[in-house]
Amino acid sequence: MDKVFSARIDESVAARINSLARQLHSTKKQVVERAVELYAAKVEHEEESGFLDQSFGAWKRDESSQESVEAARTAFRASFERMR
C-alpha cells in the first residue's frame, strides 16, 4: 500500500530525480524508493562494521577490571542519587 509523503527538497535535487527517472525510464517514485533502499543498506552495513572498529582493543585498558567495575558502580549509584 502506498503512502503519500511530502518533503521540501532543493530544486537541484528535484531536477536530478526527474532526470534520473527519464534516463532510467521509470517513475520519480521508483527513483526515490530505490535511493532510500540503497542508502539504508549502506548505513546498516556501516553500523555493522563500525561496531568492530569502535570496540577493537576495548579489552586493552590502563585500568584494572576491578577499577572498571568500581567506576561503573560509582556512576550507577550517582545516577540514583540524582533521581531522589
Side-chain angles (χ1 to χ4, degrees):
M1 183 171 148
D2 288 346
K3 177 159 179 74
V4 175
F5 178 81
S6 176
R8 292 186 184 272
I9 58 173
D10 191 83
E11 287 181 33
S12 64
V13 174
R16 196 162 200 186
I17 292 169
N18 287 329
S19 176
L20 278 169
R22 282 192 304 274
Q23 181 183 347
L24 299 171
H25 305 290
S26 65
T27 65
K28 292 183 282 185
K29 173 186 181 257
Q30 290 170 328
V31 169
V32 172
E33 286 178 341
R34 184 68 180 138
V36 170
E37 289 170 6
L38 288 170
Y39 183 69
K42 180 180 182 261
V43 168
E44 289 169 0
H45 176 72
E46 288 174 356
E47 285 180 358
E48 289 171 3
S49 61
F51 171 76
L52 292 176
D53 292 335
Q54 292 172 8
S55 64
F56 186 71
W59 60 91
K60 296 179 183 176
R61 296 180 180 231
D62 293 333
E63 62 188 14
S64 69
S65 58
Q66 184 61 35
E67 290 171 324
S68 296
V69 169
E70 285 302 319
R73 286 180 178 163
T74 301
F76 185 72
R77 287 184 191 115
S79 69
F80 273 100
E81 290 299 319
R82 285 187 297 232
M83 297 305 229
R84 286 185 182 183

